[in-house]
Amino acid sequence: MQAKKYFIALKMFQFKQFVIHQDRCAMKVGTDGVLLGAWAQGGSRILDVGTGTGVIAMMMAQRYPEAFVTAVDINSGAVQQAGENVAGAGMASRIHVSHAPVQQLAVDELQAGSYDAVVSNPPFFIDSMNAPDEQRNMARHTATLTYADLMQAGWMLLNDEGELSVVVPFDYRQRMEDEATFRGFFPSRVCAVKTTDRKPVRRYLLAFCKHPCVCQREQLTIGDERYQLLTRDFYL
């Protein structure tokens, strides 16, 4: 019985307002994506880069009911599943799922400066060995989307007041911030994430904008009051 329950949990994830099916996606629903979807700032037009199951796009659509969300991914299985998840939640009129690299979107002159927010739970492994699963490689390794690519695309696609938000492991924060600075971005918000109070920071939520600003800094621990406040509209 326990094995059966685990199998069911692996194939799908139930939120308050929608269900995420994930049997065809290399990367399943996890704390990183949920935190980003609950923390990132939105607007009337939002772009989710590397959408996977579509969970972040759907969370942003729930938080910003007047928004139109574009969700892109280079994995055909993920795109199909994300589209089905979006349709199953009744969000198909507000979320467009596209099988395309964000680099392609960024060179479209009609898209330039058209987004209020870009969000991404990006591939982060740079120096580590590839996993044997090709789909998992695409989702986890930066060969298909480098930090420089993400920042370049974000700069091209965001409007002047827009914000780019990402989640990264603690030891990749500096690389992401360096690429953002090189492209011309300024840090606007930083949230350090701990798994327990006694352990060091394990993740960072980072947000960047195109103009100098006072960077807002905060910290949360999984399960604490701040975490519960962020995720209360999503977790059962």
Side-chain angles (χ1 to χ4, degrees), residues 19-223:
V19 175
I20 295 293
H21 295 274
Q22 52 185 1
D23 55 294
R24 281 170 283 155
C25 289
M27 299 304 292
K28 312 304 182 186
V29 173
T31 303
D32 288 2
V34 173
L35 277 173
L36 182 63
W39 182 82
Q41 290 188 0
S44 59
R45 291 200 68 193
I46 301 168
L47 174 64
D48 176 23
V49 180
T51 194
T53 63
V55 62
I56 295 174
M58 295 166 71
M59 291 178 71
M60 297 298 287
Q62 179 180 322
R63 291 176 57 212
Y64 294 90
E66 302 302 317
F68 182 81
V69 183
T70 299
V72 297
D73 204 294
I74 62 171
N75 182 274
S76 57
V79 169
Q80 183 178 4
Q81 187 140 71
E84 292 171 0
N85 287 332
V86 166
M91 297 180 175
S93 63
R94 298 180 48 228
I95 302 176
H96 173 65
V97 184
S98 177
H99 184 204
V102 70
Q103 296 95 323
Q104 177 180 316
L105 200 66
V107 298
D108 183 351
E109 293 183 0
L110 296 177
Q111 299 287 338
S114 61
Y115 290 94
D116 302 298
V118 174
V119 296
S120 182
N121 180 5
F124 52 83
F125 287 144
I126 297 174
D127 303 319
S128 59
M129 293 179 62
N130 285 349
D133 185 292
E134 183 177 351
Q135 290 188 0
R136 195 166 177 83
N137 279 336
M138 281 194 284
R140 291 164 63 88
H141 289 80
T142 61
T144 55
L145 179 66
T146 67
Y147 290 174
D149 289 340
L150 179 59
M151 290 301 163
Q152 173 69 15
W155 185 270
M156 297 298 295
L157 294 166
L158 280 172
N159 60 41
D160 289 342
E161 300 303 316
E163 187 171 85
L164 186 156
S165 302
V166 299
V167 56
V168 293
F170 74 98
D171 48 346
Y172 286 81
R173 174 190 177 184
Q174 191 61 56
R175 300 191 195 204
M176 183 67 81
E177 290 183 334
D178 287 347
E179 291 295 349
T181 300
F182 181 78
R183 189 58 194 84
F185 280 111
F186 297 88
S188 54
R189 295 188 298 141
V190 174
C191 180
V193 181
K194 291 185 172 185
T195 54
T196 68
D197 287 331
R198 295 182 178 181
K199 292 184 177 181
V201 173
R202 302 305 300 174
R203 289 288 189 271
Y204 281 97
L205 298 163
L206 306 174
F208 304 96
C209 63
K210 291 185 173 183
H211 51 80
C213 62
V214 177
C215 183
Q216 302 175 22
R217 301 180 186 275
E218 62 177 328
Q219 180 176 294
L220 65 80
T221 300
I222 303 300

